[in-house]
Amino acid sequence: MSTASNRPRPGHHRYGSVQSQHHLARNGSASKRRAPDFMEVYLWALRVAYLVYLLQPRTRRLQHTAAPTAPPPKTSIISNDVLKDLSSWKDSSSARLPKGFMADLEKRIASILMNQDKRPEYNEPVIKKTFAEFYNKITDKARKKALESDRRVEDLMLHFYTCATNELQAGRAPGDDAWKLMVDRYVALFIRLISATLQEKTEKDWARSRPELTHKLKIMEEKLLKHDQDIAAASAASRASTVGKSVEVLVERSYKVKDMPLVMHVGRVFSLTNTMLQSDIDKYKSVWTLKAALADLKTYQLNLNLNTRFTLRDEDFDTRDAFQAWKKAEDHPLSQMMLNLLQTEPELAKAGTGGQQIPHPPPGAENSSHAADMGYANTIRPVFDSSEGGSLGFDQPVDMSGLNLGGSEPDLNDNQEHPFTFIPPDTRAYYKFALSQIFAHEVRNQPSNGNAKTDPSALFSKQSTELINVLCLRWRIPHFTRVNLFLDVVKDEFCDQQIDLEMLDAALMYADQLNDDPSLSSQPLEQALEVSNWTMADFTLHGHIISALHDALLRDLFAVACRCYEPKAPSVGGIMVVLDTHIYSDPQFSQSARDQERFTKSLQKGMEEAASEMYKEFVTKVVPENTEEWQFYHIIQLGKTVLGLIEKLQKKYRKMPEIMGANPKAIFIQEALPHYVKDSHDMIVTILDRADQTQVEVPTEDGFELYESLVDIRRIHQQVLPEVEFDLPIEEFLAPFVWRVIEVADLTLVKWAENAFREDEFQVRNENPNQDPTDDEKHSTSVIDINRAFGQTVKQILALGWQDEFQYAKFMTAMTKCIGNAVARYVELVEEKFNAEMDRLSPDQEAALTNSRQERWMQIAKDTWNNKEKIEPFQFYPESFVKLNNIEWVLYRLDDLQRTINVDACIRIMEKHAPPASRRPNKAGSYVFTIKVIEAEDLMACDLNGLSDPYVVLGDERKRLGKTRTIYSTLNPRWDETFEITTRSPVNIVATVWDWDSLKNHDYVGRTQLKLDPAHFSDYLPQEHWLKLDSQGQILLRISMEGEQDDIQFYCGKAFRTVRRTQREMVRKITDKLSAYIHHCLSRQSLRSILSKGVTASVSSFFSRNRQSNPVPQAPTDDDISLPLRPLVQYFNDNFSIMRFTLTESAMVMVMARLWKEVLTTIESLLIPPLSDKPSAQKPLNQQEVDAVYKWLQFLFEFFNARDLETGESLGVPQEQLKTPKYNDLHSLAFFYSEPTNFLIHESERMASQAAARARSNNRVSAPQPSTGSLGAMLTVPGGALARSKSIMITRNLGTMRKAKEEKRKEAQAEQSDDIILRILRMRPEAERYLKDRSRQKEKQAAADAAAEIVNQSIAQGAAGRRKK
């Protein structure tokens, strides 16, 4: 609404420019002014509207009068001069018509013929008939083509002349030549039509591009109209009787109100009838004359020059320059209005000038620079121009400065009575009154536009706008006064609540449009808007208006803002837009910071009260009055209601968070949340106490939902009120609900696992039978069900977003324990069923069970006599492979579950909150013993071949703990299998060795026992024990212990290790079924068969230092060597085809890798005996046999790798997995195999000294001294010291397991061991003494390392305890 600029005011300020009150208006002091009444303003407005009626151009009508006959001219102009001119156009290129002209000309002629052209000169029937004949002629195809090609205007005119002559001559007497003059007129009409077509606004602008042609046509038209300038009058006269003619005469005014549109609008504005209007006009029309209007203008001009009180004076302005600028701008509109009066009533000029005629405006005055500068008068003309439907008919302006319009000047002074007829005594007051009436009338009659915004341009109707413009023009209201008085009216209406905010905004925008419209100001717009050019009354009024509107808007803003918490709260946006757009942007607006701060505080206080009341309404609506009816639901609903309102406020005030410095959302939170927190605390205590008393548990879902609701409340409370404590221990109140869920899970998860296992058929879920199943389809439904059960329970807790991290870690620890128990139970069930499937008897074995003892012995003797070792292929069930897939899938899902729980974060949290070492319990509640059955030596032979098929059964005093696999045809087996037992007190472990027999009961081999006492393993370091059997031989066990801890890391590791060990055992079970045939094919008997075919193989070894000089027979070919492998490869392929369809890709690789390990172990057993400190009866192979064995190794390596010959891609086990440490040891073995004994002893001593030096430099972690000293116990770990056993902690997820495996591989590759050399030396009888010496040396080294480990562990524990303190 800015009506003023920020530019500095010009100079010429007077001293004391702020004048006294009697200088603020043109009509004297405020104390002498009398407020206008309704009828006075009505009469002053009525007379101005009536004046507009008087200034309207009077209509004319034709009146027929007799005229003397005159002899018409005998010749036509076109027959003389015009035809001569046309002949000179032929050679002029500028006289050619533009392209496309003929089409437009045809359209115009057609519009004449169809009566679409409303010009009267073309409506005569004879003229239309002439044009019709001409139209038919030019539309002829041949003639039309010629005319469009030549484009000569003279051709068109000649064709039209011919048509006009023929038409006018038809039916005339031979001597009648009167028609010849009509030919000139008809041709003139045609030329006018051509000119109009050329001047029509088109994209090509034909008239401007051909000025010469346009000029010639104009001259020719003037020549043709030489006898008659008005074609329409001539046409009418030609139709009249030859005895007279028609002339135009002015129609007298009716002085009827119905002919006065503006007068009737005044009546509507002031709510008066036409009868009353007519009565007043009849009463005062003798006074309200044009002469009185002219006298008003002369008197006003005279008072303006004399600086009297009847006009604005220099005292009304702040500077003389402002007054002079306004005064100068008044000259032109006054002159223009006087001219308009004189043009309407020329007699006024004669009466005022003593008979002198008023000079007509000079030609071209309309385009003169003087007329261009007369902006104010020119802008009035479109409003009142009769041609546009207005009320006044101004002609072009003329300079009236030198014209004396007054005759004798009246004697004017400040004491005389009011001298004006049409200008009221107090123009400002009368105009404001009239404007308020007009505005009120428009508001009352404003059409309803629904929700659409009011258009500022439609604020006033056309007649109201015309009335306002006329009042401002006749009453000489300056532009700035007009705008300010309009704002004053709008201010009064808004403060009186007569208009709403939307209408106020539209009115203020309308005021801005007035300021931007230069046509409404007699001064230049920039000058009129300059505040320094205003009157002091307008300056003061504008400041008062802005201040009053600001106060009113703030009151409305306060009322609306205090309702912001209501369900259908009104918006403050409209008020803020009006304030920002129209009030605060106004340069004259000023507000002190103190006032603004006072309003902000008041607004905040009001909104605080409203927020408090709204929260009380919420409580009354949601919470029952009776405390016995209180439930968590009511707290939740109250919280949702509070949060809903906060969210609504957030969205509503997203773009404008604050209202004049007051934040509705923050205020509501500050008021409501503390009350809600207190109320929630009291309600929770009451509900929980009642539940304890009645022994009725609150539903867990209600507790969880309440927690989520309270957490949201707390988050908002902390964001908005960080300095205020949230006095509601949510976690303390609601943690029992989470523990309840965990307790239920502990009871139900194991049952879910059992039920899922029981209902599972362990079938591949092949959704598309026509395609091979994918890896995702190769596990059965049971693992999906238990994983869903685990996930639902965990996600139920995770969804809470528990804020207390220590409690969350404890929740997840307990939850992990529950899941681990369920997983262990599921894995146990799967393994039991898998073992039952894998240990079933073959059909021949089942048939042999029915034979008598004598028949079984006869069959054994028969097989022995025939030297037949019968190997029956094992038939695998697909369900067995699906079970292995399930175990693998459980392993992956456990890893995913750990990431979901974020186990690493829980570990850090538990460590951070762990008590100091001095306060920790000294002993764990229970202990986990890990027993690894490594190997046995010198077992008793139970079979006729002098060997046994041993396996070990572990058990305690109550139950069987586990069983190893069977190692066939050996007295020195190596199992390397691990079992776990959890106990709280010492327990005796019994290890029983049995000999497997398919045709009879298994034979007893031997038994030993060991007491597992936690006190003996207090250092938690692994121990190895060689235990003597009660019959013959000894067995090696490695035992380690871990305290079972209430720790998430422990439970995760335990679950992972259980699943992983089960997976390995199941893979081992599968490979064991294949290993018998591996041993059969890769045996010394197969080697002898290769070399006993009459082809003596004697290939010299490149490892041997002494070459044979004697010639040797040709060695066996590769086909001969690979011959024993062909049935083995076929056996593998038959089984792999079944596995590949059922097992997942990773499980298939795992099985093949295990088979590869079995192959390596078998090949290794062909070359060297197991590790021991005693000599072995096994004989070394000759060089031919060694070469054959290594070719077997190479053939089988390529088979397991299965490289594609075209792409080179490995389709089997990757090379990285095939090249295991044992594979590398076998290649190292070839280097030492044929070396002399002394060389081997020297290499062993060198490697042992290097290992001891590394152990001392690295301060390696050592193990306690074993209970019995033997070389086998000492040589299992490189360097002579036992490594710490695998801890549950390092097997808690797939990542840690892969990391540990990689470290083990790197360690095996980095450290050299003399184990291979010592195993070779067992086949050298001369090395028996060295083996015993090496055993004693390692015993001493192991004891020293164990002592160092105990010292280091004690130091580490003490340092950790001090850090905790």
Side-chain angles (χ1 to χ4, degrees):
M1 194 190 66
S2 176
T3 57
S5 65
N6 292 318
R7 292 170 295 182
R9 300 181 181 182
H12 300 90
H13 286 267
R14 295 189 295 269
Y15 292 106
S17 59
V18 180
Q19 306 293 328
S20 59
Q21 286 296 324
H22 67 279
H23 287 148
L24 293 180
R26 69 171 74 159
N27 296 321
S29 65
S31 59
K32 296 181 179 180
R33 290 202 303 259
R34 182 176 59 84
D37 59 20
F38 178 86
M39 291 305 298
E40 288 180 339
V41 176
Y42 152 69
L43 289 175
W44 284 103
L46 180 65
R47 66 187 72 187
V48 172
Y50 174 69
L51 179 61
V52 171
Y53 168 73
L54 295 178
L55 290 174
Q56 286 180 346
R58 294 166 65 183
T59 58
R60 297 171 178 268
R61 61 179 177 86
L62 289 177
Q63 181 175 337
H64 182 74
T65 57
T69 58
K74 299 296 184 180
T75 60
S76 172
I77 295 177
I78 191 171
S79 61
N80 297 326
D81 298 336
V82 175
L83 293 178
K84 295 178 182 178
D85 293 341
L86 289 176
S87 61
S88 64
W89 290 16
K90 293 183 179 181
D91 299 330
S92 176
S93 60
S94 62
R96 290 169 62 91
L97 295 169
K99 291 182 179 180
F101 175 81
M102 290 301 299
D104 286 359
L105 182 63
E106 290 177 6
K107 292 180 181 178
R108 282 189 168 269
I109 295 175
S111 65
I112 293 174
L113 298 178
M114 290 185 295
N115 295 325
Q116 295 177 356
D117 196 320
K118 301 302 181 181
R119 289 175 292 182
E121 57 265 31
Y122 294 101
N123 290 333
E124 187 176 352
V126 181
I127 293 178
K128 287 185 178 181
K129 190 173 182 180
T130 303
F131 272 101
E133 183 178 352
F134 174 73
Y135 182 82
N136 293 332
K137 182 178 290 187
I138 64 175
T139 53
D140 180 70
K141 291 184 178 180
R143 187 175 289 106
K144 181 177 182 180
K145 183 175 181 180
L147 291 175
E148 289 179 349
S149 175
D150 296 337
R151 291 186 285 115
R152 292 199 297 259
V153 69
E154 59 270 20
D155 293 343
L156 290 174
M157 292 179 62
L158 290 177
H159 283 305
F160 187 82
Y161 174 75
T162 303
C163 294
T165 302
N166 294 338
E167 186 63 29
L168 292 173
Q169 192 177 6
R172 299 276 184 172
D176 187 3
D177 295 333
W179 59 272
K180 294 183 178 181
L181 290 179
M182 295 302 297
V183 174
D184 294 345
R185 298 187 183 96
Y186 283 20
V187 175
L189 283 175
F190 180 67
I191 293 174
R192 183 175 293 183
L193 188 66
I194 293 175
S195 299
T197 305
L198 288 174
Q199 292 176 0
E200 183 181 24
K201 293 182 180 180
T202 62
E203 295 179 357
K204 299 180 180 180
D205 203 359
W206 288 337
R208 185 172 297 179
S209 63
R210 284 168 171 74
E212 183 178 353
L213 175 61
T214 305
H215 181 68
K216 288 182 179 180
L217 291 174
K218 184 177 181 180
I219 293 175
M220 185 172 293
E221 181 183 353
E222 292 176 352
K223 286 184 179 181
L224 292 172
L225 297 178
K226 183 176 181 181
H227 296 293
D228 193 344
Q229 298 295 328
D230 192 345
I231 295 178
S235 299
S238 64
R239 294 191 300 268
S241 173
T242 56
V243 296
K245 67 177 181 178
S246 298
V247 296
E248 285 187 348
V249 294
L250 293 176
V251 179
E252 294 295 331
R253 296 187 180 94
S254 65
Y255 295 100
K256 300 297 183 181
V257 170
K258 61 182 181 66
D259 297 330
M260 307 176 188
L262 201 58
V263 171
M264 288 191 294
H265 188 66
V266 170
R268 289 191 291 270
V269 168
F270 288 89
S271 302
L272 299 176
T273 62
N274 289 351
T275 303
M276 298 175 64
L277 296 173
Q278 188 66 55
S279 174
D280 290 332
I281 287 176
D282 293 341
K283 179 178 179 180
Y284 296 108
K285 68 178 181 180
S286 59
V287 180
W288 300 345
T289 62
L290 294 178
K291 182 177 181 181
L294 181 61
D296 278 0
L297 295 176
K298 294 193 298 182
T299 305
Y300 179 85
Q301 189 176 45
L302 179 61
N303 281 275
L304 181 63
N305 295 328
L306 296 178
N307 197 26
T308 67
R309 65 182 178 86
F310 297 109
T311 63
L312 291 177
R313 294 180 289 183
D314 58 351
E315 291 87 351
D316 297 321
F317 292 86
D318 193 24
T319 64
R320 291 188 179 89
D321 291 346
F323 171 70
Q324 292 299 329
W326 170 78
K327 180 179 178 182
K328 181 179 179 181
E330 287 288 279
D331 292 340
H332 176 69
L334 290 173
S335 302
Q336 191 69 22
M337 286 189 291
M338 292 181 187
L339 177 60
N340 185 250
L341 287 169
L342 295 177
Q343 288 177 341
T344 304
E345 193 70 43
E347 297 298 329
L348 295 177
K350 297 179 181 179
T353 58
Q356 295 181 3
Q357 298 293 330
I358 302 298
H360 290 285
E366 208 169 353
N367 300 322
S368 66
S369 61
H370 180 70
D373 293 338
M374 300 176 181
Y376 189 78
N378 287 337
T379 57
I380 301 300
R381 186 189 312 162
V383 181
F384 304 113
D385 194 347
S386 60
S387 63
E388 300 294 334
S391 303
L392 300 180
F394 285 7
D395 290 335
Q396 60 269 34
V398 297
D399 187 5
M400 300 289 293
S401 58
L403 180 64
N404 181 10
L405 297 174
S408 60
E409 297 180 355
D411 185 14
L412 296 175
N413 55 66
D414 289 350
N415 296 322
Q416 72 179 74
E417 295 297 328
H418 187 66
F420 302 113
T421 303
F422 291 95
I423 302 176
D426 186 355
T427 54
R428 291 178 63 93
Y430 279 76
Y431 177 74
K432 178 184 175 182
F433 196 109
L435 183 61
S436 64
Q437 290 294 122
I438 298 173
F439 186 74
H441 168 75
E442 293 296 335
V443 170
R444 289 194 303 268
N445 296 277
Q446 192 76 23
S448 176
N449 54 359
N451 295 326
K453 190 175 181 180
T454 303
D455 185 8
S457 60
L459 193 62
F460 291 103
S461 64
K462 182 178 180 181
Q463 289 181 322
S464 293
T465 302
E466 182 180 359
L467 178 59
I468 293 172
N469 289 337
V470 170
L471 293 178
C472 292
L473 177 68
R474 293 296 168 183
W475 293 356
R476 307 309 308 142
I477 303 296
H479 179 67
F480 46 80
T481 302
R482 171 180 181 172
V483 174
N484 283 314
L485 291 178
F486 172 72
L487 293 176
D488 195 21
V489 170
V490 171
K491 179 263 297 180
D492 292 341
E493 293 291 319
F494 182 71
C495 292
D496 293 340
Q497 299 183 357
Q498 298 300 316
I499 60 174
D500 56 11
L501 183 67
E502 181 181 350
M503 183 63 71
L504 173 65
D505 185 36
L508 297 178
M509 293 174 65
Y510 178 79
D512 291 337
Q513 293 178 0
L514 293 179
N515 288 326
D516 295 336
D517 190 354
S519 64
L520 301 180
S521 175
S522 60
Q523 297 176 268
L525 189 60
E526 183 178 359
Q527 186 181 34
L529 295 178
E530 182 64 46
V531 177
S532 60
N533 292 328
W534 291 7
T535 64
M536 289 183 290
D538 287 304
F539 181 82
T540 304
L541 177 62
H542 188 80
H544 173 72
I545 294 169
I546 296 299
S547 178
L549 284 177
H550 179 253
D551 293 344
L553 289 170
L554 287 188
R555 286 192 296 270
D556 289 355
L557 179 64
F558 181 89
V560 172
C562 290
R563 297 177 56 194
C564 65
Y565 305 122
E566 297 179 0
K568 295 182 179 180
S571 174
V572 300
I575 301 176
M576 295 304 301
V577 167
V578 173
L579 285 171
D580 292 337
T581 306
H582 303 293
I583 304 300
Y584 296 143
S585 62
D586 196 291
Q588 289 186 249
F589 174 78
S590 62
Q591 184 184 25
S592 64
R594 185 176 180 181
D595 292 340
Q596 185 175 359
E597 182 180 358
R598 186 185 300 113
F599 176 77
T600 300
K601 290 182 178 180
S602 176
L603 181 60
Q604 289 176 344
K605 185 177 181 181
M607 294 175 70
E608 289 172 359
E609 295 176 356
S612 180
E613 291 297 324
M614 183 56 62
Y615 176 74
K616 292 178 182 178
E617 292 183 13
F618 290 164
V619 173
T620 303
K621 181 179 179 182
V622 174
V623 181
E625 295 183 2
N626 186 4
T627 59
E628 296 297 326
E629 300 178 6
W630 286 356
Q631 301 290 338
F632 279 179
Y633 168 80
H634 300 120
I635 306 176
I636 295 169
Q637 288 302 114
L638 182 59
K640 287 183 177 180
T641 307
V642 172
L643 290 178
L645 181 55
I646 293 175
E647 183 178 357
K648 179 180 178 182
L649 294 173
Q650 175 71 23
K651 293 180 180 179
K652 184 174 183 179
Y653 298 101
R654 182 177 62 255
K655 296 182 179 179
M656 186 180 61
E658 292 187 351
I659 304 173
M660 301 295 288
N663 190 321
K665 174 187 168 185
I667 290 174
F668 180 77
I669 294 174
Q670 291 171 1
E671 287 296 314
L673 288 196
H675 294 296
Y676 176 78
V677 170
K678 184 178 182 304
D679 294 343
S680 299
H681 183 280
D682 297 341
M683 293 179 70
I684 291 173
V685 171
T686 302
I687 295 170
L688 295 179
D689 289 345
R690 187 177 70 244
D692 292 340
Q693 294 172 4
T694 59
Q695 297 298 315
V696 177
E697 289 186 344
V698 179
T700 303
E701 294 76 10
D702 291 353
F704 282 7
E705 189 175 359
L706 176 61
Y707 180 82
E708 295 175 357
S709 178
L710 293 178
V711 166
D712 290 340
I713 293 291
R714 180 171 60 188
R715 174 179 51 81
I716 297 174
H717 189 282
Q718 292 172 349
Q719 290 176 355
V720 182
L721 305 173
E723 70 284 351
V724 180
E725 182 180 359
F726 187 81
D727 191 16
L728 180 60
I730 307 175
E731 284 73 20
E732 179 182 345
F733 278 141
L734 302 179
F737 291 90
V738 182
W739 288 118
R740 191 191 302 171
V741 170
I742 296 174
E743 291 172 1
V744 172
D746 192 23
L747 297 174
T748 57
L749 286 181
V750 173
K751 294 181 180 179
W752 286 348
E754 293 174 349
N755 293 334
F757 171 81
R758 191 180 303 111
E759 296 176 3
D760 196 357
E761 297 179 356
F762 296 98
Q763 298 293 328
V764 173
R765 300 174 297 105
N766 192 357
E767 298 179 359
N768 191 348
N770 297 326
Q771 297 180 359
D772 292 341
T774 62
D775 282 359
D776 291 337
E777 297 173 339
K778 291 180 179 180
H779 53 267
S780 60
T781 58
S782 60
V783 289
I784 299 176
D785 294 339
I786 64 172
N787 180 70
R788 185 181 298 114
F790 297 161
Q792 289 176 353
T793 307
V794 172
K795 289 179 180 178
Q796 188 178 9
I797 300 176
L798 291 177
L800 297 176
W802 202 262
Q803 301 296 306
D804 189 322
E805 59 179 17
F806 183 53
Q807 281 188 345
Y808 171 80
K810 291 197 294 184
F811 293 157
M812 291 298 107
T813 300
M815 198 68 234
T816 305
K817 182 179 179 181
C818 297
I819 293 175
N821 294 336
V823 167
R825 179 55 180 162
Y826 176 78
V827 168
E828 179 184 4
L829 293 172
V830 171
E831 187 178 17
E832 288 178 358
K833 192 168 185 178
F834 177 84
N835 291 337
E837 294 169 354
M838 300 301 293
D839 294 339
R840 72 185 188 277
L841 297 176
S842 66
D844 291 342
Q845 293 171 345
E846 291 179 353
L849 292 177
T850 62
N851 295 336
S852 64
R853 182 179 180 86
Q854 184 178 0
E855 290 174 340
R856 289 199 297 268
W857 280 107
M858 290 295 294
Q859 182 65 37
I860 294 173
K862 183 178 179 181
D863 292 340
T864 303
W865 176 262
N866 295 328
N867 196 19
K868 178 182 178 182
E869 186 178 354
K870 187 175 183 181
I871 303 298
E872 296 182 1
F874 185 79
Q875 301 298 324
F876 292 99
Y877 289 162
E879 294 85 347
S880 302
F881 294 144
V882 172
K883 293 180 179 66
L884 179 59
N885 294 337
N886 285 2
I887 297 300
E888 180 190 35
W889 203 80
V890 168
L891 197 65
Y892 289 137
R893 298 292 77 79
L894 278 177
D895 195 59
D896 294 341
L897 193 62
Q898 286 196 30
R899 284 194 294 269
T900 303
I901 294 174
N902 197 355
V903 171
D904 293 336
C906 292
I907 293 172
R908 292 192 297 269
I909 293 169
M910 296 296 289
E911 290 176 351
K912 182 173 67 173
H913 292 84
S918 60
R919 297 172 54 188
R920 297 179 188 175
N922 295 328
K923 296 183 180 180
S926 59
Y927 301 89
V928 178
F929 284 93
T930 302
I931 305 171
K932 184 173 184 179
V933 181
I934 300 176
E935 61 179 337
E937 290 183 350
D938 297 333
L939 298 179
M940 182 177 63
C942 297
D943 296 335
L944 296 178
N945 59 3
L947 300 174
S948 295
D949 300 325
Y951 66 91
V952 180
V953 175
L954 287 179
D956 58 11
E957 300 170 348
R958 295 173 297 177
K959 62 179 180 179
R960 177 176 171 176
L961 298 178
K963 170 183 169 294
T964 67
R965 71 187 188 280
T966 302
I967 306 298
Y968 296 96
S969 303
T970 181
L971 299 179
N972 300 296
R974 189 178 184 89
W975 294 282
D976 288 326
E977 295 190 32
T978 305
F979 304 91
E980 284 186 358
I981 179 174
T982 302
T983 180
R984 292 179 177 271
S985 59
V987 62
N988 289 324
I989 298 298
V990 178
T992 306
V993 182
W994 296 87
D995 173 62
W996 184 86
D997 198 330
S998 61
L999 300 178
K1000 60 179 181 177
N1001 295 331
H1002 297 184
D1003 297 326
Y1004 175 81
V1005 177
R1007 177 183 288 117
T1008 186
Q1009 64 179 359
L1010 176 68
K1011 183 177 182 180
L1012 300 181
D1013 190 350
H1016 297 162
F1017 294 85
S1018 59
D1019 55 0
Y1020 295 100
L1021 294 177
Q1023 301 178 14
E1024 288 187 353
H1025 298 269
W1026 278 101
L1027 305 175
K1028 292 185 179 295
L1029 300 177
D1030 57 1
S1031 58
Q1032 176 184 334
Q1034 57 184 353
I1035 185 170
L1036 177 60
L1037 303 179
R1038 179 181 296 168
I1039 303 170
S1040 61
M1041 185 194 75
E1042 288 186 90
E1044 187 170 89
Q1045 306 169 24
D1046 188 18
D1047 181 84
I1048 190 172
Q1049 190 173 194
F1050 177 84
Y1051 294 131
C1052 289
K1054 186 178 179 180
F1056 260 93
R1057 191 159 67 173
T1058 300
V1059 178
R1060 185 63 173 169
R1061 285 179 178 174
T1062 303
Q1063 184 185 41
R1064 286 198 301 266
E1065 288 300 314
M1066 294 174 71
V1067 171
R1068 182 188 61 78
K1069 280 278 187 180
I1070 295 173
T1071 57
D1072 283 350
K1073 296 301 179 181
L1074 305 174
S1075 61
Y1077 202 70
I1078 295 174
H1079 297 159
H1080 170 71
C1081 295
L1082 303 178
S1083 63
R1084 291 200 171 201
Q1085 184 179 357
S1086 298
L1087 284 174
R1088 288 193 296 268
S1089 68
I1090 295 173
L1091 301 176
S1092 64
K1093 290 184 178 182
V1095 180
T1096 304
S1098 177
V1099 180
S1100 58
S1101 173
F1102 66 93
F1103 298 108
S1104 176
R1105 296 184 177 181
N1106 299 319
R1107 294 181 175 272
Q1108 299 289 340
S1109 59
N1110 297 328
V1112 296
Q1114 183 179 2
T1117 63
D1118 290 346
D1119 289 341
D1120 294 333
I1121 295 173
S1122 64
L1123 187 61
L1125 299 182
R1126 292 175 184 173
L1128 178 62
V1129 170
Q1130 183 61 40
Y1131 182 63
F1132 281 161
N1133 287 332
D1134 292 342
N1135 287 280
F1136 287 170
S1137 61
I1138 301 174
M1139 296 179 186
R1140 191 172 296 279
F1141 180 81
T1142 312
L1143 288 177
T1144 63
E1145 183 177 353
S1146 57
M1148 183 67 186
V1149 171
M1150 190 183 304
V1151 171
M1152 293 180 67
R1154 177 72 187 186
L1155 278 176
W1156 173 247
K1157 183 178 180 181
E1158 193 68 29
V1159 169
L1160 294 178
T1161 302
T1162 304
I1163 291 177
E1164 184 186 50
S1165 67
L1166 292 175
L1167 295 170
I1168 55 177
L1171 186 64
S1172 178
D1173 59 348
K1174 298 178 181 179
S1176 174
Q1178 181 176 339
K1179 302 298 182 181
L1181 300 177
N1182 60 36
Q1183 193 59 51
Q1184 291 178 347
E1185 293 171 333
V1186 171
D1187 291 342
V1189 168
Y1190 277 100
K1191 286 189 178 181
W1192 282 354
L1193 179 63
Q1194 182 61 31
F1195 291 156
L1196 291 173
F1197 182 90
E1198 293 175 356
F1199 171 75
F1200 277 89
N1201 186 239
R1203 183 176 297 277
D1204 192 323
L1205 297 179
E1206 295 182 358
T1207 63
E1209 180 184 0
S1210 176
L1211 303 178
V1213 183
Q1215 288 189 10
E1216 295 77 10
Q1217 296 186 28
L1218 293 176
K1219 293 181 179 181
T1220 61
K1222 186 176 288 295
Y1223 177 84
N1224 296 328
D1225 290 342
L1226 285 175
H1227 279 277
S1228 301
L1229 175 62
F1231 179 79
F1232 296 107
Y1233 198 77
S1234 301
E1235 295 296 333
T1237 302
N1238 292 335
F1239 175 78
L1240 295 177
I1241 292 174
H1242 176 73
E1243 282 295 310
S1244 176
E1245 290 175 344
R1246 183 184 63 81
M1247 292 181 181
S1249 61
Q1250 290 179 352
R1254 284 196 301 271
R1256 288 191 299 271
S1257 63
N1258 297 332
N1259 192 19
R1260 292 173 54 87
V1261 177
S1262 59
Q1265 181 179 359
S1267 59
T1268 59
S1270 66
L1271 185 61
M1274 296 298 101
L1275 299 181
T1276 54
V1277 179
L1282 285 174
R1284 187 177 182 89
S1285 65
K1286 292 181 182 178
S1287 170
I1288 289 179
M1289 301 303 184
I1290 66 172
T1291 59
R1292 56 187 171 85
N1293 56 45
L1294 291 177
T1296 57
M1297 294 170 65
R1298 294 190 190 102
K1299 184 177 179 182
K1301 187 175 182 179
E1302 185 63 26
E1303 290 177 353
K1304 181 180 178 181
R1305 178 187 293 271
K1306 291 180 179 178
E1307 183 180 357
Q1309 293 175 353
E1311 297 184 358
Q1312 292 184 351
S1313 172
D1314 60 346
D1315 289 355
I1316 294 295
I1317 296 176
L1318 294 174
R1319 293 173 71 179
I1320 296 174
L1321 290 175
R1322 286 193 66 194
M1323 297 184 296
R1324 311 284 176 92
E1326 64 270 19
E1328 180 179 0
R1329 183 176 181 84
Y1330 176 74
L1331 291 175
K1332 293 181 179 180
D1333 293 340
R1334 184 82 176 101
S1335 174
R1336 287 191 295 268
Q1337 179 186 358
K1338 290 204 169 187
E1339 288 178 6
K1340 295 178 182 180
Q1341 183 66 40
D1345 292 341
E1349 169 62 24
I1350 294 173
V1351 173
N1352 293 335
Q1353 184 178 5
S1354 300
I1355 295 174
Q1357 290 178 353
R1362 288 191 297 272
R1363 285 195 299 271
K1364 289 292 182 180
K1365 291 179 180 180

